Structure formats: C-alpha cells, structure tokens
C-alpha cells in the first residue's frame, strides 16, 4: 500500500501476492517498487500505475529485497540461503538471476545461512545479514566464480540479524552500519570496519523490530518486543525519550531524509505513526 507521507492519504495498493509481504522497497527514481513475500516470489511493480512489471519465482520464503543505487540491479534473499541478483535492464520475460550464490559460514562451514536482510552499499557492493548474527560484504563485480567469498564480515553476538541500515552521517561524513540483533543495537564504521558501539536495549529483536540512526549521528531510535518507541543517545546508549501510542510490538522504524526531522514506526497493531524529532 502506498500513502502520502504528509497527510497519510491512500494513494494506491500493489495487489497480487498470496502470502505475507516481508520486505518492500522503492527504487531511487521512485518509478519502481519491489516486494518480497512468503508466497515464494519477488514482485517488481510500476510505482506509477501499480501494475506488476516483473515477477521472480523462488523456492522458499523471501525475506528481503533491495534496489541498487543506479536502479539496475535487484537483490533478493530468504530461507533458501541464496543471494540472487537480477539485472532489471534485461528482457521482462527473463526470470533467471544474473548472479546466484550461497550465503555460507566461514572456516570450511558450507552450511547455508538463512538471509534476513540485504542492502546495497554501492552499485557493486552488497551487505547481507543472516540468522547467524553476521553481516557479510560481497562484491558482485568479481563474477560468479568468486563473488561467494565475502570481502569482510561484521559480527554481532551470534544473534539473528533482524534489521540493518546504512547511513551517511552528515556531521562527520562517516558511513555507519546499524544492526539490530538479539537485545542489542550495533554500530559499525564501514570504512574502517570497526565496531563503534554495542548498546544493550530494554527490548529484544527476536521476532521483528529494528533501529535507525539519525542523519546527524547524534541519536538513534529503536523498537521491538514491546509497544514503545524509544530514542537513545548514540555515544552512550542512554534513553532520551520513550514514546507511547502503538498497541502492538514495533516492527520497523526509519528516520526521514535528509534532515531527520521526522521518523516513522510501523507496528503489529496495523498502524504507521509519524513522530517529530526533538531538537538536541
């Protein structure tokens, strides 16, 4: 469903999936939308007309989907433990991915890892989060024979990666990876590959939920197992605000761009709420 961000008015609905929708994304141009579903498929939609443009069948539940910054590629992942990359410039009748490779454990462990999140860092670099608490970085430009070997790995404390966000911080220019896993929100500097902070939360992310870093890097918002949306200090992890209004667990949160003057929270109660950011 698409709604006006300012008024909340209904604009349109993408109808066609026969199972729960676990992930949805708009491409950077705003012309396309993509959805990953429990019906073992990923759909790409014309965001202007609402009509299905392309459909990519899978063999298990699809948990994540994302467009590359140039809108050429689409990445998918889910319970198969396979990363698939589709070239959207090919003929619309083509359903096969241009790349397909397993997300596997390191040190000789070839067991596939269920994929929970996949985000593009650039037009060729992918970050893929899994059930084993790791975020792996892949370079698709290496070709099908070498792409399955991660460039590097960000590690949490063995808890399932529930949410993942890449943020270019306006105050410092740093690129920060935010990861919600277990009962902790982690922050990594992507350029130095160092873990900056690991803040224990008063909630858990075992079912759903997530976290989002403010564009200026001073604070972050998190929600999960209870009904409240909380704002925390980035450096110390101290709770700054606790906002009540939802009647179900929090499932997703994001700050608006570029200023971060508003953030949105989606809940199991079937509502999306917009909150004004309190000035520091």
């Amino acid at each position: 469903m698409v709604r006006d961000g300012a008024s909340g008015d209904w604009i349109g609905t993408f109808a066609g999936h026969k199972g729960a929708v676990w992930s949805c994304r708009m491409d950077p141009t705003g012309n396309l939308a993509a959805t990953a579903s429990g019906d073992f498929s990923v759909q790409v939609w014309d965001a202007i007309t609402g009509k299905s443009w392309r459909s990519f069948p899978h063999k298990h539940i699809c948990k994540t989907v994302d467009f590359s910054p140039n809108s050429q590629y689409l990445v998918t992942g889910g319970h198969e433990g396979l990363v698939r990359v589709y070239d959207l410039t090919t003929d619309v009748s083509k359903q096969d991915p241009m790349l397909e490779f397993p997300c596997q454990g390191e040190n000789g462990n070839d067991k596939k890892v269920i994929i929970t999140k996949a985000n593009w860092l650039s037009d060729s670099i992918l970050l893929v989060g899994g059930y084993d608490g790791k975020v792996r970085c892949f370079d698709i430009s290496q070709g099908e024979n070498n792409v399955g070997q991660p460039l590097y790995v960000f590690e949490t404390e063995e808890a399932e990666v529930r949410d993942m966000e890449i943020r270019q911080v306006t105050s410092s220019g740093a690129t920060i990876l935010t990861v919600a896993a277990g009962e902790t929100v982690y922050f990594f500097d992507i350029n130095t590959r160092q873990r900056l902070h690991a803040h224990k939360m008063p909630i858990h992310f075992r079912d759903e939920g997530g976290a989002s870093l403010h564009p200026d890097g001073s604070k972050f918002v998190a929600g999960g197992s209870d009904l409240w949306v909380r704002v925390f200090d980035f450096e110390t992890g101290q709770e700054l605000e606790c906002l009540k209004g939802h009647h179900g667990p929090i499932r997703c949160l994001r700050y608006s761009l570029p200023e971060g003057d508003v953030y949105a929270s989606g809940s199991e109660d079937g509502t999306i709420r917009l909150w004004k950011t309190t000035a520091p």
Side-chain angles (χ1 to χ4, degrees), residues 16-24 35-43 60-64 208:
H17 280 299
K18 296 178 174 63
V21 175
W22 288 104
S23 177
C24 56
T35 50
S37 173
D39 66 6
F40 298 11
S41 77
V42 167
Q43 299 277 350
H60 212 311
I61 294 170
C62 303
K63 294 288 287 187
T64 184
E208 283 296 329

mmCIF file of all heavy atoms in Angstrom, residues 16-24 35-43 60-64 208:
data_model
loop_
_atom_site.group_PDB
_atom_site.id
_atom_site.type_symbol
_atom_site.label_atom_id
_atom_site.label_comp_id
_atom_site.label_asym_id
_atom_site.label_seq_id
_atom_site.Cartn_x
_atom_site.Cartn_y
_atom_site.Cartn_z
ATOM 1 N N GLY A 16 -1.438 -8.669 -5.501
ATOM 2 C CA GLY A 16 -1.018 -9.806 -6.312
ATOM 3 C C GLY A 16 -0.357 -10.917 -5.524
ATOM 4 O O GLY A 16 -0.408 -12.079 -5.914
ATOM 5 N N HIS A 17 0.289 -10.585 -4.390
ATOM 6 C CA HIS A 17 0.919 -11.619 -3.572
ATOM 7 C C HIS A 17 -0.135 -12.506 -2.911
ATOM 8 O O HIS A 17 -1.240 -12.063 -2.592
ATOM 9 C CB HIS A 17 1.804 -10.993 -2.502
ATOM 10 C CG HIS A 17 3.149 -10.566 -3.000
ATOM 11 N ND1 HIS A 17 4.060 -11.444 -3.542
ATOM 12 C CD2 HIS A 17 3.747 -9.338 -3.024
ATOM 13 C CE1 HIS A 17 5.162 -10.789 -3.880
ATOM 14 N NE2 HIS A 17 4.988 -9.510 -3.588
ATOM 15 N N LYS A 18 0.236 -13.761 -2.662
ATOM 16 C CA LYS A 18 -0.643 -14.711 -1.996
ATOM 17 C C LYS A 18 -0.087 -15.132 -0.638
ATOM 18 O O LYS A 18 -0.469 -16.170 -0.088
ATOM 19 C CB LYS A 18 -0.863 -15.935 -2.889
ATOM 20 C CG LYS A 18 -1.584 -15.615 -4.193
ATOM 21 C CD LYS A 18 -1.741 -16.845 -5.068
ATOM 22 C CE LYS A 18 -2.590 -16.547 -6.302
ATOM 23 N NZ LYS A 18 -1.956 -15.526 -7.176
ATOM 24 N N GLY A 19 0.807 -14.331 -0.123
ATOM 25 C CA GLY A 19 1.405 -14.594 1.184
ATOM 26 C C GLY A 19 1.849 -13.291 1.813
ATOM 27 O O GLY A 19 1.754 -12.222 1.205
ATOM 28 N N ALA A 20 2.325 -13.373 3.044
ATOM 29 C CA ALA A 20 2.767 -12.190 3.764
ATOM 30 C C ALA A 20 3.899 -11.492 3.018
ATOM 31 O O ALA A 20 4.769 -12.149 2.434
ATOM 32 C CB ALA A 20 3.238 -12.570 5.165
ATOM 33 N N VAL A 21 3.892 -10.169 3.029
ATOM 34 C CA VAL A 21 4.965 -9.377 2.428
ATOM 35 C C VAL A 21 5.966 -9.025 3.528
ATOM 36 O O VAL A 21 5.630 -8.327 4.488
ATOM 37 C CB VAL A 21 4.417 -8.102 1.763
ATOM 38 C CG1 VAL A 21 5.557 -7.235 1.254
ATOM 39 C CG2 VAL A 21 3.474 -8.474 0.623
ATOM 40 N N TRP A 22 7.196 -9.507 3.387
ATOM 41 C CA TRP A 22 8.210 -9.336 4.417
ATOM 42 C C TRP A 22 9.119 -8.135 4.175
ATOM 43 O O TRP A 22 9.785 -7.657 5.089
ATOM 44 C CB TRP A 22 9.059 -10.598 4.519
ATOM 45 C CG TRP A 22 8.335 -11.742 5.145
ATOM 46 C CD1 TRP A 22 7.808 -12.833 4.512
ATOM 47 C CD2 TRP A 22 8.037 -11.913 6.531
ATOM 48 N NE1 TRP A 22 7.202 -13.660 5.422
ATOM 49 C CE2 TRP A 22 7.331 -13.125 6.671
ATOM 50 C CE3 TRP A 22 8.297 -11.148 7.677
ATOM 51 C CZ2 TRP A 22 6.880 -13.603 7.897
ATOM 52 C CZ3 TRP A 22 7.852 -11.626 8.902
ATOM 53 C CH2 TRP A 22 7.158 -12.833 9.008
ATOM 54 N N SER A 23 9.169 -7.658 2.948
ATOM 55 C CA SER A 23 10.061 -6.539 2.643
ATOM 56 C C SER A 23 9.515 -5.786 1.449
ATOM 57 O O SER A 23 8.948 -6.389 0.528
ATOM 58 C CB SER A 23 11.471 -7.064 2.336
ATOM 59 O OG SER A 23 12.354 -6.023 1.970
ATOM 60 N N CYS A 24 9.666 -4.465 1.466
ATOM 61 C CA CYS A 24 9.266 -3.652 0.314
ATOM 62 C C CYS A 24 10.235 -2.495 0.168
ATOM 63 O O CYS A 24 10.731 -1.956 1.161
ATOM 64 C CB CYS A 24 7.828 -3.150 0.443
ATOM 65 S SG CYS A 24 7.470 -2.205 1.928
ATOM 66 N N THR A 35 8.709 -6.047 -3.836
ATOM 67 C CA THR A 35 8.210 -6.684 -2.622
ATOM 68 C C THR A 35 8.684 -8.128 -2.567
ATOM 69 O O THR A 35 8.704 -8.828 -3.578
ATOM 70 C CB THR A 35 6.671 -6.651 -2.580
ATOM 71 O OG1 THR A 35 6.140 -7.128 -3.817
ATOM 72 C CG2 THR A 35 6.159 -5.242 -2.332
ATOM 73 N N ALA A 36 9.075 -8.575 -1.370
ATOM 74 C CA ALA A 36 9.483 -9.956 -1.138
ATOM 75 C C ALA A 36 8.440 -10.604 -0.241
ATOM 76 O O ALA A 36 8.045 -10.036 0.780
ATOM 77 C CB ALA A 36 10.856 -10.005 -0.480
ATOM 78 N N SER A 37 8.015 -11.813 -0.594
ATOM 79 C CA SER A 37 6.835 -12.381 0.052
ATOM 80 C C SER A 37 7.029 -13.818 0.524
ATOM 81 O O SER A 37 7.918 -14.539 0.048
ATOM 82 C CB SER A 37 5.652 -12.323 -0.920
ATOM 83 O OG SER A 37 4.520 -13.010 -0.420
ATOM 84 N N GLY A 38 6.138 -14.206 1.431
ATOM 85 C CA GLY A 38 6.082 -15.584 1.883
ATOM 86 C C GLY A 38 5.482 -16.525 0.863
ATOM 87 O O GLY A 38 5.440 -17.740 1.092
ATOM 88 N N ASP A 39 5.004 -15.997 -0.263
ATOM 89 C CA ASP A 39 4.466 -16.861 -1.317
ATOM 90 C C ASP A 39 5.546 -17.360 -2.275
ATOM 91 O O ASP A 39 5.248 -17.857 -3.354
ATOM 92 C CB ASP A 39 3.354 -16.147 -2.091
ATOM 93 C CG ASP A 39 3.852 -14.932 -2.882
ATOM 94 O OD1 ASP A 39 5.071 -14.697 -2.927
ATOM 95 O OD2 ASP A 39 3.011 -14.211 -3.445
ATOM 96 N N PHE A 40 6.829 -17.239 -1.844
ATOM 97 C CA PHE A 40 7.982 -17.718 -2.599
ATOM 98 C C PHE A 40 8.214 -16.901 -3.869
ATOM 99 O O PHE A 40 8.687 -17.427 -4.877
ATOM 100 C CB PHE A 40 7.837 -19.189 -2.987
ATOM 101 C CG PHE A 40 7.749 -20.167 -1.844
ATOM 102 C CD1 PHE A 40 7.573 -19.743 -0.537
ATOM 103 C CD2 PHE A 40 7.841 -21.528 -2.076
ATOM 104 C CE1 PHE A 40 7.483 -20.651 0.516
ATOM 105 C CE2 PHE A 40 7.762 -22.446 -1.035
ATOM 106 C CZ PHE A 40 7.577 -21.997 0.255
ATOM 107 N N SER A 41 7.923 -15.607 -3.822
ATOM 108 C CA SER A 41 8.150 -14.790 -5.011
ATOM 109 C C SER A 41 8.573 -13.383 -4.622
ATOM 110 O O SER A 41 8.323 -12.921 -3.506
ATOM 111 C CB SER A 41 6.890 -14.715 -5.881
ATOM 112 O OG SER A 41 5.941 -13.822 -5.328
ATOM 113 N N VAL A 42 9.225 -12.728 -5.584
ATOM 114 C CA VAL A 42 9.529 -11.293 -5.504
ATOM 115 C C VAL A 42 8.854 -10.633 -6.690
ATOM 116 O O VAL A 42 8.984 -11.098 -7.831
ATOM 117 C CB VAL A 42 11.049 -11.050 -5.527
ATOM 118 C CG1 VAL A 42 11.356 -9.575 -5.764
ATOM 119 C CG2 VAL A 42 11.692 -11.516 -4.229
ATOM 120 N N GLN A 43 8.124 -9.552 -6.418
ATOM 121 C CA GLN A 43 7.433 -8.820 -7.472
ATOM 122 C C GLN A 43 8.057 -7.441 -7.624
ATOM 123 O O GLN A 43 8.413 -6.800 -6.629
ATOM 124 C CB GLN A 43 5.942 -8.649 -7.130
ATOM 125 C CG GLN A 43 5.173 -9.947 -6.976
ATOM 126 C CD GLN A 43 4.711 -10.527 -8.290
ATOM 127 O OE1 GLN A 43 4.803 -9.874 -9.332
ATOM 128 N NE2 GLN A 43 4.226 -11.750 -8.263
ATOM 129 N N HIS A 60 11.501 -20.768 -1.747
ATOM 130 C CA HIS A 60 11.159 -20.700 -0.316
ATOM 131 C C HIS A 60 10.780 -19.252 -0.002
ATOM 132 O O HIS A 60 10.737 -18.397 -0.885
ATOM 133 C CB HIS A 60 12.331 -21.166 0.545
ATOM 134 C CG HIS A 60 11.911 -21.840 1.826
ATOM 135 N ND1 HIS A 60 10.983 -21.291 2.693
ATOM 136 C CD2 HIS A 60 12.289 -23.025 2.387
ATOM 137 C CE1 HIS A 60 10.816 -22.091 3.721
ATOM 138 N NE2 HIS A 60 11.591 -23.159 3.565
ATOM 139 N N ILE A 61 10.517 -18.990 1.263
ATOM 140 C CA ILE A 61 10.083 -17.663 1.704
ATOM 141 C C ILE A 61 11.156 -16.626 1.389
ATOM 142 O O ILE A 61 12.344 -16.831 1.674
ATOM 143 C CB ILE A 61 9.783 -17.669 3.213
ATOM 144 C CG1 ILE A 61 8.569 -18.563 3.506
ATOM 145 C CG2 ILE A 61 9.552 -16.260 3.737
ATOM 146 C CD1 ILE A 61 8.345 -18.819 4.973
ATOM 147 N N CYS A 62 10.736 -15.506 0.809
ATOM 148 C CA CYS A 62 11.637 -14.385 0.509
ATOM 149 C C CYS A 62 11.512 -13.353 1.625
ATOM 150 O O CYS A 62 10.406 -12.895 1.929
ATOM 151 C CB CYS A 62 11.280 -13.751 -0.827
ATOM 152 S SG CYS A 62 11.312 -14.897 -2.209
ATOM 153 N N LYS A 63 12.627 -12.994 2.237
ATOM 154 C CA LYS A 63 12.612 -12.103 3.394
ATOM 155 C C LYS A 63 13.093 -10.689 3.113
ATOM 156 O O LYS A 63 12.822 -9.773 3.883
ATOM 157 C CB LYS A 63 13.474 -12.698 4.512
ATOM 158 C CG LYS A 63 12.950 -13.993 5.095
ATOM 159 C CD LYS A 63 11.714 -13.773 5.945
ATOM 160 C CE LYS A 63 12.060 -13.123 7.266
ATOM 161 N NZ LYS A 63 10.903 -13.058 8.167
ATOM 162 N N THR A 64 13.843 -10.487 2.021
ATOM 163 C CA THR A 64 14.434 -9.168 1.810
ATOM 164 C C THR A 64 14.624 -8.885 0.328
ATOM 165 O O THR A 64 14.837 -9.802 -0.478
ATOM 166 C CB THR A 64 15.789 -9.061 2.553
ATOM 167 O OG1 THR A 64 16.313 -7.743 2.426
ATOM 168 C CG2 THR A 64 16.790 -10.057 2.009
ATOM 169 N N GLU A 208 10.590 -9.396 15.464
ATOM 170 C CA GLU A 208 10.765 -8.329 14.480
ATOM 171 C C GLU A 208 11.278 -7.107 15.224
ATOM 172 O O GLU A 208 11.645 -7.177 16.376
ATOM 173 C CB GLU A 208 9.461 -8.028 13.728
ATOM 174 C CG GLU A 208 9.117 -9.045 12.637
ATOM 175 C CD GLU A 208 10.131 -9.089 11.501
ATOM 176 O OE1 GLU A 208 10.746 -8.056 11.200
ATOM 177 O OE2 GLU A 208 10.320 -10.157 10.913
#
